[in-house]
Amino acid sequence: MGSFLDINIIDGPVVLGFVVASLLALAYLVFRRVSRAIPLGQRVPRAHPVRRWAIIVAIGASGGAAVGVLVLVLTEVVFNVFGLPLDPDTRAWVVCAFAGIGVAVVNLGRGRWWRKVIAAASIALFVVTAAVGINAGYGLNPTLASLLGVQTAPALAVPRPVPTPRASATPGPPKPLWQIWHAPADMPAVGKMGTVVIPATASGFAARPAYLYLPPAALVANPPPLPVLILMMGQPGGPDSSTRYLPTLNQFAAAHRGLGPIVLTVDQIGSPTKNPLCIDSPAGRVHTYVMTDVVDYVRSTLHVATGRVNWAVGGYSNGGECALSFGAKHPDVFGSIVDISGEIGPSLGSVATTIRLGFGGDAAAYTAEQPLTIMKANRYTDTLAVFTDGSADSYYGPEGATAEAAAKAAGMTTARFVGQGVGHRSDAIVYGLPMALPLLYPRWGLEPVAIAHQTQ
């Protein structure tokens, strides 16, 4: 079962297969055998069944497409369900799916029983095809298991738990790791990634398993204390989206004698259909989960370096906003922030909806949780904040620019990178981290400061 669910549904032939199947089903539903044959080359009479059937199919397709457009207007414009405009190809998938459903519906009351069965099955086929196509466009759920929210990734055996002192000001080694580290001969060539379960002891938050990356240097008999990067992904989505980072993390580790950060991607939403806004609320005590349960897990289970400079928090989209919020609230824990195409504040769509559903109608509480509000009320020294977004992201790109300006005004050392042609999809994920790591590696003592920016 696991191997079936682990099939690639983004880059492989799965999307093409569904499209072909849908086109074949649509062709069957459109072309219907009628009792009165027309001689070849003769014009079809106005009252002939063929003409009537063509009109019925056209009405079904256009009616279905109209329903699709209405759904888009309601979700995007009226209720702002997704918090941002949908991309053109997503809209096309939705309209085409509803047009196909319209054709299937007009077949349900006509023809033999098998035609009705095929029509009913086609409705499901058109919906699944659109879902797979939209998912492939965004690229956030690489497998069927990921799309369905089923966990199939293997658990990662964490080597030799080494408790780390809680004192964030504990000094590190007298020299940076890049100077004193000598990779042993039996060190693996690449790191390992797998799932770990973080006990929600303090929060009770129902989080999905986290994804943990251990670089090669963490897999040797006597590993050095390494920096840690806590990541959060977008909504919808989940920690498994971090698998997109695996090649980048291994590439950087290979260029630095196996040295790299321990990367822990946690689940701050609990479900693809939820958005607890990274606060403690009736929807989930996410702040307590991340800042107590996750932080305690890292300190007690992973061999990480102490000191706030060696700790970073980051994320994409919803996770980017959460990272900016946590980093702004807790500069004593996190010395660096990586905001990849992040939202500028907690959002459930419109401001009014967010205040009503997320904050129980308390507008003051909503304002207090805005990262811009938090940063304005504080002064930061020695905090690095990296912001990345894409030139094709007309919604979150400007928000990233605003957040970066606010962070700089609050005293943070900031950097912003804009990827040409990058949108608000998996391309933003793939683009963001490689831009931040060259700034983080020297800060973590994994490479000399003088060669920063050389590793891209």
Side-chain angles (χ1 to χ4, degrees), residues 183-328:
D186 60 347
M187 184 184 72
V190 296
K192 289 185 178 179
M193 178 177 277
T195 62
V196 293
V197 176
I198 300 175
T201 307
S203 67
F205 182 63
R208 292 167 290 182
Y211 272 64
L212 177 64
Y213 169 79
L214 298 175
L219 301 174
V220 301
N222 295 295
L226 294 169
V228 62
L229 171 59
I230 297 174
L231 287 177
M232 293 160 283
M233 293 292 105
Q235 189 270 334
D240 55 346
S241 297
S242 64
T243 56
R244 293 274 180 172
Y245 289 134
L246 186 57
T248 293
L249 294 171
N250 279 329
Q251 177 187 355
F252 272 80
H256 295 83
R257 295 171 293 161
L259 293 174
I262 291 174
V263 181
L264 181 65
T265 307
V266 302
D267 179 23
Q268 84 284 6
I269 58 175
S271 165
T273 61
K274 297 179 180 179
N275 182 3
L277 301 176
C278 277
I279 61 175
D280 283 352
S281 73
R285 301 182 67 202
V286 180
H287 181 271
T288 299
Y289 173 69
V290 174
M291 294 309 306
T292 301
D293 293 326
V294 172
V295 169
D296 285 351
Y297 173 85
V298 172
R299 286 171 170 160
S300 65
T301 308
L302 305 176
H303 193 34
V304 298
T306 56
R308 58 178 296 278
V309 172
N310 293 304
W311 284 56
V313 62
Y316 159 72
S317 193
N318 175 276
E321 185 276 323
C322 295
L324 184 58
S325 177
F326 290 137

Side-chain angles (χ1 to χ4, degrees), residues 2 18 33 68 229 238 244 250 345-346 416 446 453:
F18 273 105
R33 184 178 179 182
L229 171 59
R244 293 274 180 172
N250 279 329
R416 180 168 177 251
L446 303 184
H453 297 289

Side-chain angles (χ1 to χ4, degrees), residues 387-414:
F387 298 85
T388 73
D389 53 75
S391 64
D393 186 354
S394 60
Y395 195 87
Y396 290 121
E399 291 194 347
T402 301
E404 192 260 346
K408 182 180 293 185
M412 297 185 188
T413 299
T414 66

Side-chain angles (χ1 to χ4, degrees), residues 65-143:
V67 172
V69 171
L70 177 61
V71 168
L72 290 172
V73 171
L74 290 174
T75 55
E76 283 194 77
V77 180
V78 178
F79 299 109
N80 193 21
V81 173
F82 307 104
L84 77 166
L86 297 175
D87 289 334
D89 61 332
T90 299
R91 295 174 181 149
W93 280 112
V94 172
V95 173
C96 288
F98 274 97
I101 291 172
V103 174
V105 168
V106 299
N107 276 269
L108 290 176
R110 293 170 173 81
R112 302 294 182 91
W113 65 267
W114 57 81
R115 188 176 191 87
K116 299 176 183 179
V117 170
I118 293 175
S122 296
I123 294 175
L125 176 62
F126 297 152
V127 172
V128 172
T129 300
V132 170
I134 293 171
N135 176 72
Y138 283 96
L140 299 178
N141 296 291
T143 66

Side-chain angles (χ1 to χ4, degrees), residues 245 248 252 338 340 384 386-389 415-419 422 427-441 453 455-456:
Y245 289 134
T248 293
F252 272 80
V338 181
I340 300 172
L384 170 67
V386 182
F387 298 85
T388 73
D389 53 75
R416 180 168 177 251
F417 302 95
V418 179
V422 174
D427 55 352
I429 297 178
V430 175
Y431 170 77
L433 191 60
M435 304 309 296
L437 286 178
L439 299 180
L440 293 170
Y441 258 73
H453 297 289
T455 305
Q456 295 290 337

